[in-house]
Structure formats: structure tokens, C-alpha cells
Amino acid sequence: MSQSISPSEPHVSAGILPRRLLALLLDVFIIGIIFWVSALFIAIFGVFTLGIGWLAFHVLPALPFAYYTLLVGGAGATPGQRLFGIMVRQDGSLARPNLPQAFVWSILLSLSFALACIPFLAALLNPRHRATHDILSGLVILRAGQIPY
């Protein structure tokens, strides 16, 4: 696949940091809504199954990983990222991430939060504004309007 644009060009990553932050906040809000609706459904389901359905509460911690993996790996962006005009692409080819790559990205994203957000500082020092989880997973966040496809 020949590209007419390179992910290293400065205009495709201009203004990414505030967009990433706002997209993350919106995605956390959406994940919270999904979490609480699922918890309510599981609680009601548990009552009807005399407590056996409450075992499904063990699925809830996997919701953020599933959210990011399926949306980044399938559509190339979460709803928050789409709203703020950014997308996730593979660094070399600008192709959409595959599911294993998106899963690694989501695991590393949560690990970055577990490490007191210190790995996010790489985005401030990197000229392409790539965080540590982007670099390790081979992905890059680009402005959607700057890519022709």
C-alpha cells in the first residue's frame, strides 16, 4: 500500500495532546456508563437465577480492555477519538491496528495508569507526541483530517 503521507510529518500530529486527553476523558465516561449498566443487568439477572448469575460480575474488570481492543483494533478509533478527530494507526504502514496489537496497546495503556501516569511523559518529550504505550505497541495517534483515507 503506497502512502502519500508519512506519520512523521509534523502536521499529522499537530495538536494531538489536548485531543488525546479529551478523547480519553470521554472514553472513560462511556466505559463507566457501560460498566454501571452491565452491573445493574448482572445484579437483576443474579436475582432471577437465585445468585448464580452474580458470577458474571467477574467479567466487569475486562470491560475497558474489550472496549479499547475491539474499537481500536476494529474501527481504528474509539468514539472519543473519533469525536475529537484522531485515529490510531500502525506506525510504519498507516494501516489500522490488528486485534493483537490493539490488545497490547490497551494493556500497556492501563499499565501506564498503574505506574502513576509516568509513561505518559514520553508524549511531552517526543516530537510526534507518542506515549510509551504507543511506542511499545508500534502504533501512532494521528489527526483524522490529515490522512486521505
Side-chain angles (χ1 to χ4, degrees), residues 54-124:
W54 290 333
L55 292 172
F57 277 118
H58 291 82
V59 174
L60 292 180
L63 282 178
F65 300 112
Y67 178 85
Y68 276 107
T69 300
L70 295 175
L71 290 174
V72 169
T78 63
Q81 291 169 340
R82 275 186 249 135
L83 180 69
F84 290 102
I86 58 177
M87 62 185 170
V88 182
R89 293 291 187 244
Q90 293 180 10
D91 188 27
S93 65
L94 291 182
R96 287 187 176 167
N98 51 35
L99 286 178
Q101 201 171 22
F103 180 70
V104 168
W105 186 79
S106 67
I107 293 292
L108 291 172
L109 175 66
S110 59
L111 184 62
S112 295
F113 283 112
L115 294 173
C117 299
I118 292 172
F120 292 127
L121 294 176
L124 298 173

Side-chain angles (χ1 to χ4, degrees), residues 1-13 87 89-95 128 140 142-149:
M1 174 189 313
S2 65
Q3 306 299 329
S4 62
I5 209 159
S6 169
S8 62
E9 293 181 23
H11 70 278
V12 297
S13 61
M87 62 185 170
R89 293 291 187 244
Q90 293 180 10
D91 188 27
S93 65
L94 291 182
R128 292 172 55 197
V140 64
L142 303 171
R143 290 182 58 189
Q146 301 295 325
I147 305 298
Y149 51 92

Side-chain angles (χ1 to χ4, degrees), residues 18-20 22-27 29-30 67 77-87 144-145:
R19 292 170 189 246
R20 285 185 79 162
L22 293 171
L24 177 68
L25 292 174
L26 180 61
D27 288 333
F29 181 74
I30 293 171
Y67 178 85
T78 63
Q81 291 169 340
R82 275 186 249 135
L83 180 69
F84 290 102
I86 58 177
M87 62 185 170

Side-chain angles (χ1 to χ4, degrees), residues 35 37-61:
F35 183 89
V37 168
S38 301
L40 181 64
F41 175 76
I42 292 170
I44 293 169
F45 182 68
V47 169
F48 287 123
T49 60
L50 302 175
I52 294 173
W54 290 333
L55 292 172
F57 277 118
H58 291 82
V59 174
L60 292 180

